[in-house]
Structures are given as C-alpha cells and as structure tokens.
Amino acid sequence: MKVEIVTIGNELLNGDLADTNTARLATFLRARGIAVAAAQTVPDVEGAIVGALRLAGERAQLVLVSGGMGPTEDDLTMEAAALVAGRPLVEDAGTLARLRARFEARGYPFTPNNARQARAPEGAAVLENPVGTAPCVRLEAGGATYFFFPGVPHELARLADDYLGPWLAERAGARPYRSVKLKTFGKTESQVATMLEALPRDPRLHVAYRAHFPEIQVSFHATEPDAAAADALLAAARDGAREALGDIVFTEDPAVELAEAVGQALVRAGRTLAAAESCTGGLVGKLCTDVAGSSAWYLEGAITYSNAAKSRQLGVPEALIAAHGAVSEEVARAMAEGMRERSGADYALAITGIAGPSGGTPDKPVGTIHFALAGPEGTSHVHRRLPFDRERNRVVSAWFALDMVRRRLLG
Amino acid sequence: MKVEIVTIGNELLNGDLADTNTARLATFLRARGIAVAAAQTVPDVEGAIVGALRLAGERAQLVLVSGGMGPTEDDLTMEAAALVAGRPLVEDAGTLARLRARFEARGYPFTPNNARQARAPEGAAVLENPVGTAPCVRLEAGGATYFFFPGVPHELARLADDYLGPWLAERAGARPYRSVKLKTFGKTESQVATMLEALPRDPRLHVAYRAHFPEIQVSFHATEPDAAAADALLAAARDGAREALGDIVFTEDPAVELAEAVGQALVRAGRTLAAAESCTGGLVGKLCTDVAGSSAWYLEGAITYSNAAKSRQLGVPEALIAAHGAVSEEVARAMAEGMRERSGADYALAITGIAGPSGGTPDKPVGTIHFALAGPEGTSHVHRRLPFDRERNRVVSAWFALDMVRRRLLG
C-alpha cells in the first residue's frame, strides 16, 4: 500500500513550528510494516490544500492529513476535502450533538464557529474524537482513502490508534516492519561506509547511514516479504557488519544511547563510575543520569571548572596545575585519580580541555582536550584536537570519555 | 518571489527524525520578509527526488533543498539535480582539493566515497562549506533557482547565512522582517495568553505564542510596511507585554537562553555561582557551561547522586539524611549551604528530588523536587511536585533552579 502524508498550517511554513506529525505518523506506519512514500506541507490556503490532496491521492492509495481542522475561518481542510471529493459539506448530526454537550459540560459558550467542526464532505465517516473537538474524518475520493486528523499531536496520536490502526489491520499488505540498526561512535559516516564496502550485498536488503551527531547509525531494511527469510537476511547482515565494524559499534538496540550502553557494561561487570569534568561542565553526568536507574552505576561527579575547584574537590596539587596548565595530561590524570580515590568508584573519568570559542593558545589551541580514565587496572590518558564549535566539542568530549569506559570494559 | 522547500531523506519518512530544516529555512526567509508557499519531503529515491524538484521548480522561482548530500551511495540529490537540469554530473576541482586538504589536515583517509561530495551538475555554482564536507550548490534549471544544502542543521544554517542571504539581498522584494520576542518561564501558554488578553490590539501586529519547552515565547510580528512605524508599534507592544507579564520574562533577546540571562545578571551584580545537583545530575552545570565565557560566573558544581557524595562533597550530615531523607527541605538547604561554603561562590544552588520513573513513595511521589539557594542574603527553599516524565522533570528542575538565581538578583 502506497501512503502519503499532507500536513496543513501556516505555522509550519513560517518558521513558528517544526512539523512533528509526519514523523509521528511515519513511526505509527513503520510499526505496521508500511513505508511513507512522500510528504507535503501546505499553508491554510484552500487552493494549495486541494492541490496537495489531489496530488497525494493520485500517487497513493492512503493519504494521511493533519491540520486545518480547527473551528476558525482559517481552518479550511474540510472545504478542500469537499472540493477534492466533488461532494458538498454537510453537518454531521452526531458530531454536532457531541460538541454541544462537550461545551455545555464545561460551561463554555457554543458559537457558530464551533459548529464548523461538525462539517465533513457528504458520505465521509465522521469519527468521534474522545480527547478534543475536531473529529477524525475518513473519506473515499478518486480511488484513494483519506484520513483527516487534527494537528494537535496528542489528538492525532489518539485518533490514529483508535481509527487508523484498526482500518490498517483489516487490510492486506500490512506486516511488521523488519530492520536492524547498529549505532557506532568514533568514525565518520564515510569511514563507516568504507568499512562495510566489502560485505556481500543482497538485493532484498537496503542499507542506510545516518549521522546522528556524534554517532553514526547503520541500518539494514528488509524488503523481502517472507518474515523468516527477512529475519535471516537481517541477522546475517548484522553479524557481517558487526565483524567489519568491530568495537566502534556500541549497541544494536535503537532505543539505547551510549551512556546507557556504558551503564549496562558497568552493571554487567559489577563496577561503578564517577566523573570529574572541566570543559564538559556536567555533560557526562547529565548523559549518565538521563538513564533511568543510573544510580546503580553512576555514583557522583565533580564539575571543576575553576583551578581552585580542581585542587579542593579532587586534590590536584596547585603546583601541578602551575607547572603544566589545567589542560594537560598530568592534570587530567590527577583529576581522574583524585576523583576515583575520593568517590570510591571503580572507575573515574576526567576531562579537561578548551571547548572554545576563546581560551586557545598556540600550544593548546581551541579543541585541545585531555581525557583520563582511572580504574583498577591503572590510569589511561589520551588527548584529542577536536575541530568543532564549543557545543559540539563538548558533546564529542563527553561521548569520547564515556566510550573510554566502554572500551576499557571490553578489555 | 515564490519559494518552495524540498527535504530529502528516508529518515524523515520512516519516523527516525522529524524535519526541522523546513522550519529553519522558513525562519530564515521570514526574517527577510519572504513566505514559503509549500514544502515536500521525499525519500532517498532518485525518481522521487526528481519529481519533487521538478514540481517545486514549476511552481516556484526559488527552491531550497536539504539533504541527500552526504558521501554515501544512498545520497542521491546531486544525481537527481543533474537529471532535472538535463546536464551531466561533473567533479568540481576546487571542492575536491578542499576536501582532500581537509581530510589530510585531520589525518583521515580520503576514500572514493568522499570524492562524491565534489560532484555537481555541470554549470552549477559549487560553494564552499566552511563547517563540513558537503558543499552548497546553486543551480539554475527550468526557470527556477535551486539551492542545495546538506541536511545537517548547523551546516545548513551556516550555508544559508553565507550564500542564500547575500543572494536574496541582491533580489528585489526582500525586505527586513520586523518582530520582537519575549521569552518567559514559569507559566503555561494559556496563562501567558490570558495575562496579555487585556492589552490593546493593533491590526498591523500579529501576536504568536510558542511553547518551546520549558519556556513560552511571545512574539509580535509587524505587517506594517513602513519600517519606522513598524518599530514604534513593536516597541509599544513589547513594553505593554513586559508590564503585563512582569518577572516571568527572562529575556527579549531571541538568541539568549535562560542560563545566559542568569549569567548576565550575575556578571552585572559581580557575583558567582556554584551548584550542587542530585536529580538533575549535572544538567545545571551543563546549561551554565553551554554559555561561552561562563567561567566568569559559574565556578563549579557537585553532582552528588549518592548520599555518600552528599556528605563527603558537601558536608551534609549523614544523620540529617537519615532523619529527613535525601529528598527534603533540610537536605536541600544543607547541600546549598555546604556548596556555598566550600566553593566560595556568592550563590549556591541545590536540587534534590525524584525525577522518575521509579523511586517515588506515597509521601514523596515521582516529581517531588526540593530546591535551595544559598547566598549572601540567606538561604531560600521551595519545593515542587512536577507532573512530567523523567527527562522533562529534570529539565524543568534545572530551569527552575536557575530561575531562582535570576529572581533573587532581581530582588
């Protein structure tokens, strides 16, 4: 089944709002094995809506429409739908009664504008919205089926569950979607692609790369309709890719972020973590504690932005900072070891560097970051010269530090 | 000038990613007085891209395209552009040399894949990307001008500034767009709207609300073409709104985030800040150190996730934690006072709470957060019961804490 999406609203085309309903509907469909062929966004202009609906209906069998279902004069989706269907707009008595009752129950006045939300093209199914006023409307026109949803995300989500899901379940062709995803950190998109170049390719698999800064994701999507055959293809592709990519793969679970993968590895090893952060300013702690249940493995952190804090909180000798500078291997090692000793954590990270935009020197340019990891096996150190802006230098630094823990635990 | 947008990428149609580039480009155009007529999203399929580019080029004079400019074989935008232009793809020598130099400088191997990013349709302008590898490509075809941007948002933003802005400035019809924005924290969107209800309305101003969690933004947009008259209208609207909204407005600068507004207030007062974080796990530190130059006012932080860390790092008596629990007014106050004393900062924040999803009790349900702020004037405390999920509870907690500092400095 070919599916297109049409989103409607001036706010989507003037920069006020980024469209999230397309992704929401796409996720809904993907879970049912259905791909979206294209999406259009048009303003609250009748002619533009008519054009988009017609084009989508010519190309697809199912058209999902969001927005323009409100009670005001600039909500024109039903007018456009009536033109596309070549049928008049009629008031749905059941919907009108429900709207009146809803307003009465809340003590709101029912204005003529509100009655607009009871209108739909003649012959359309007007489906009750239990969480809002605009109904869901299902319309057959020109050989396509249109579902019209209000643009409010939680209403759209509820109405898709209530009406689109069952409608799809009755149709043939909807099958669970099959794909696998590997998340990697440490190589660029093209390096990852090059590492996978030599793998055998099966025409029933589609490989996709996605740079989701700072990780690179590799996905394999099966176009093979037989579920067991698709699973076998995907398992073989995943195993081949894992071998080719080696330890840059930090998870095969699309829902797991790097910090959670590190936490899982720590829990498996029965180990705990603390982090002393200078230039990342708490970002490692934030990423760790984003993970529910992180108290099982992340004990504490020190955000030692000033030199005084490095000495007082971590016991880094002032003389060491004076001799080598706060951004140095020596200080990174001392921070990690001080953090480990004081916290009692099995592993302690330290990050000290110059995130930018200012603070660089010829010897230590912006982007110079020193990382240390102290653990039962000893303390390791690396430094990097990162090429990004402040924000990205900080994100990559936090990820790099967490990845040091993951790699240490891999052995 | 009629403008359309085309965004390209499987990830935009399979639910992996919501498209933000359309809104980004629309904001860019709106600032120049230009509206977007329509937007399309298509997958990484050559025929679909060609169809979308042709349709947009037939309807509009300017077509802005994002995505499909990467180095891998599923990046097909340039192939599609060449078909639309009816001209072959050729390698741009300058771009190729820049790409090679960039890879050499970073010690990355230059693979054949990378050379793909130097290709563009014959006759197109291939414009250097100073912040990434995919160039910006400007192409005249079929009476329309196409700008092709990489899909990476910060690269697109930079290339729009560097190339699209000057190109538009040379064309007639682009005029500076005038608006003002107030950013607020602490009230819901409908509360903010109600606070502004009684203000006089001018038909030449459009007011818009935007929930940009956890802040609510209020914007006034002038449709008055005379610049001086528009500025006067906007100034009056801003002053009226500021008075009606009072201290929930934390900035009138669209580029300033709450942490930066707090930093500016601290610098004005000649004061410094430290933060002791439990449930926010470093998020306050992260938000503060997101701001370039934050070392002038943010001294340090302690991420005291465990009780032991609260005692050791902040001197919170173990007996106090045992008596009241880690999530309590008493412990929040002790954390803030301990942090202030040890760090020597003028102000010290403390946040301790239950972000969820687990850890709640009947007495202290999920979302219970205690905040304390210690300063030269003494220590204040508040607690809140937040209704969100873990992520949003943490974000609101960090914002609420920072806002306590802002309010304290307002007096």
Side-chain angles (χ1 to χ4, degrees):
Chain A
M1 185 182 329
K2 205 162 176 192
V3 184
E4 291 207 13
I5 292 172
V6 177
T7 53
I8 297 165
N10 292 334
E11 70 278 14
L12 303 174
L13 291 171
N14 67 12
D16 264 354
L17 189 69
D19 164 41
T20 56
N21 282 342
T22 297
R24 194 166 283 112
L25 288 168
T27 301
F28 184 92
L29 292 166
R30 183 182 189 164
R32 289 155 180 82
I34 299 170
V36 177
Q40 300 175 72
T41 304
V42 288
D44 296 304
V45 172
E46 193 178 81
I49 304 171
V50 168
L53 295 179
R54 283 209 174 116
L55 178 63
E58 282 160 16
R59 298 190 297 201
Q61 288 84 55
L62 174 63
V63 181
L64 306 180
V65 188
S66 142
M69 301 282 282
T72 64
E73 300 291 327
D74 60 353
D75 290 300
L76 297 167
T77 300
M78 283 299 103
E79 277 80 355
L83 290 171
V84 169
R87 298 201 287 272
L89 272 183
V90 294
E91 212 165 64
D92 184 73
T95 304
L96 189 64
R98 272 196 300 271
L99 285 174
R100 282 190 186 281
R102 187 185 166 96
F103 277 72
E104 258 169 44
R106 300 181 181 206
Y108 294 163
F110 191 82
T111 70
N113 262 349
N114 297 120
R116 288 172 56 87
Q117 292 191 299
R119 299 167 320 145
E122 197 175 60
V126 185
L127 307 165
E128 181 177 356
N129 179 350
V131 290
T133 52
C136 176
V137 174
R138 193 184 67 231
L139 173 71
E140 311 285 334
T145 300
Y146 294 80
F147 273 85
F148 295 91
F149 299 101
V152 182
H154 83 272
E155 295 185 25
L156 175 137
R158 171 64 185 264
L159 295 170
D161 280 341
D162 284 2
Y163 302 116
L164 178 59
W167 187 89
L168 287 170
E170 285 173 17
R171 264 86 203 154
R175 61 191 167 76
Y177 173 77
R178 284 176 152 76
S179 71
V180 296
K181 184 183 278 184
L182 305 178
K183 294 182 169 188
T184 75
F185 174 72
K187 300 280 181 193
T188 66
E189 184 174 349
S190 63
Q191 287 171 331
V192 170
T194 303
M195 291 167 88
L196 295 181
E197 234 166 31
L199 288 186
R201 284 294 170 82
D202 190 294
R204 292 164 297 170
L205 285 184
H206 172 70
V207 58
Y209 300 93
R210 187 177 152 215
H212 180 63
F213 189 84
E215 74 189 34
I216 304 293
Q217 304 175 346
V218 183
S219 302
F220 295 93
H221 306 276
T223 54
E224 159 66 45
D226 178 71
D231 286 343
L233 280 169
L234 289 168
R238 183 196 56 217
D239 293 348
R242 257 218 108 117
E243 199 175 318
L245 297 172
D247 62 8
I248 67 168
V249 177
F250 64 83
T251 186
E252 293 174 9
D253 184 340
V256 168
E257 304 296 337
L258 177 64
E260 187 168 359
V262 170
Q264 290 169 347
L266 284 164
V267 167
R268 272 196 302 273
R271 301 292 197 179
T272 57
L273 180 67
E277 308 185 52
S278 184
C279 64
T280 50
L283 184 51
V284 169
K286 188 262 180 198
L287 291 171
C288 290
T289 59
D290 278 345
V291 181
S294 51
S295 57
W297 50 273
Y298 177 80
L299 296 191
E300 61 178 272
I303 309 176
T304 54
Y305 219 50
S306 66
N307 289 347
K310 288 180 185 72
S311 297
R312 204 195 67 254
Q313 284 201 46
L314 305 170
V316 179
E318 283 172 30
L320 194 76
I321 300 176
H324 301 282
V327 178
S328 62
E329 171 169 356
E330 291 79 2
V331 169
R333 286 180 177 271
M335 287 170 68
E337 287 165 7
M339 185 84 238
R340 179 166 187 258
E341 193 185 310
R342 295 183 176 208
S343 66
D346 298 306
Y347 292 99
L349 280 169
I351 306 149
T352 178
I354 302 155
S358 62
T361 65
D363 271 7
K364 295 175 183 175
V366 164
T368 302
I369 320 280
H370 286 264
F371 303 87
L373 174 60
E377 312 85 0
T379 303
S380 56
H381 161 268
V382 281
H383 83 277
R384 285 286 181 275
R385 165 83 206 283
L386 299 177
F388 310 108
D389 60 14
R390 177 183 181 84
E391 186 189 338
R392 297 180 151 230
N393 280 339
R394 281 156 46 88
V395 171
V396 169
S397 295
W399 277 60
F400 189 90
L402 287 169
D403 208 47
M404 284 177 79
V405 180
R406 188 182 66 86
R407 288 166 177 278
R408 175 80 70 94
L409 289 167
L410 284 178
Chain B
M1 185 180 333
K2 203 161 176 192
V3 185
E4 292 208 14
I5 293 172
V6 177
T7 53
I8 297 165
N10 291 333
E11 70 278 14
L12 303 174
L13 292 171
N14 68 13
D16 264 355
L17 189 71
D19 164 40
T20 56
N21 282 340
T22 297
R24 194 167 281 110
L25 288 167
T27 301
F28 184 92
L29 292 166
R30 184 181 188 165
R32 288 155 181 84
I34 300 170
V36 177
Q40 301 175 73
T41 304
V42 288
D44 296 303
V45 172
E46 194 177 81
I49 304 171
V50 168
L53 295 179
R54 284 210 173 116
L55 178 63
E58 282 160 17
R59 298 191 298 203
Q61 289 83 54
L62 175 62
V63 181
L64 307 180
V65 188
S66 142
M69 301 282 282
T72 63
E73 59 198 67
D74 60 351
D75 291 298
L76 297 167
T77 300
M78 283 299 103
E79 277 80 355
L83 289 171
V84 169
R87 298 200 287 273
L89 273 183
V90 294
E91 211 165 64
D92 184 72
T95 304
L96 190 64
R98 273 196 300 272
L99 285 173
R100 281 189 186 282
R102 186 184 165 97
F103 278 71
E104 258 169 43
R106 298 179 181 203
Y108 293 164
F110 191 81
T111 70
N113 263 347
N114 297 118
R116 287 172 56 88
Q117 292 190 300
R119 300 166 320 145
E122 197 174 62
V126 185
L127 308 165
E128 182 177 356
N129 179 348
V131 291
T133 52
C136 176
V137 173
R138 192 184 68 231
L139 173 71
E140 310 285 334
T145 300
Y146 294 81
F147 274 85
F148 295 92
F149 299 100
V152 182
H154 85 274
E155 296 184 25
L156 175 138
R158 171 67 184 263
L159 295 169
D161 281 341
D162 284 2
Y163 302 115
L164 178 59
W167 187 89
L168 286 170
E170 285 174 17
R171 265 85 202 157
R175 59 186 169 78
Y177 172 78
R178 285 178 150 75
S179 70
V180 296
K181 184 182 276 184
L182 306 178
K183 294 182 170 188
T184 75
F185 174 71
K187 299 279 182 196
T188 66
E189 185 173 348
S190 63
Q191 286 170 332
V192 170
T194 303
M195 290 167 88
L196 295 180
E197 233 166 30
L199 289 186
R201 285 292 171 83
D202 190 294
R204 293 164 297 168
L205 285 184
H206 170 69
V207 59
Y209 300 94
R210 187 174 156 219
H212 181 62
F213 189 85
E215 74 189 34
I216 304 293
Q217 304 175 348
V218 184
S219 302
F220 295 93
H221 307 278
T223 53
E224 159 67 46
D226 179 71
D231 286 344
L233 280 169
L234 288 169
R238 184 196 55 218
D239 293 349
R242 255 217 109 113
E243 199 176 317
L245 296 172
D247 62 7
I248 68 167
V249 177
F250 64 83
T251 186
E252 294 175 8
D253 183 340
V256 167
E257 304 295 338
L258 176 64
E260 187 167 1
V262 171
Q264 290 169 347
L266 285 164
V267 167
R268 274 197 302 272
R271 301 292 195 179
T272 56
L273 180 66
E277 308 185 51
S278 184
C279 64
T280 50
L283 184 52
V284 169
K286 187 262 178 200
L287 291 171
C288 290
T289 59
D290 277 345
V291 181
S294 51
S295 58
W297 51 274
Y298 176 81
L299 297 190
E300 62 179 90
I303 308 175
T304 52
Y305 219 50
S306 66
N307 289 347
K310 290 181 184 73
S311 297
R312 205 195 66 255
Q313 285 202 45
L314 305 170
V316 180
E318 283 172 31
L320 194 76
I321 300 176
H324 302 282
V327 178
S328 61
E329 171 169 356
E330 291 79 1
V331 169
R333 286 181 178 271
M335 287 170 68
E337 288 164 7
M339 184 85 239
R340 179 166 186 258
E341 192 186 310
R342 294 180 177 211
S343 66
D346 297 305
Y347 292 99
L349 280 169
I351 305 148
T352 178
I354 302 156
S358 61
T361 65
D363 271 8
K364 296 176 183 174
V366 165
T368 302
I369 320 280
H370 286 263
F371 303 87
L373 173 60
E377 312 85 0
T379 303
S380 57
H381 161 268
V382 281
H383 84 278
R384 285 286 180 274
R385 166 82 205 282
L386 300 177
F388 309 109
D389 60 12
R390 177 184 181 85
E391 186 188 340
R392 290 175 161 233
N393 281 339
R394 279 156 47 89
V395 171
V396 169
S397 296
W399 277 60
F400 188 90
L402 287 167
D403 208 47
M404 283 176 80
V405 180
R406 186 181 68 85
R407 288 166 177 278
R408 176 81 69 97
L409 289 167
L410 285 178

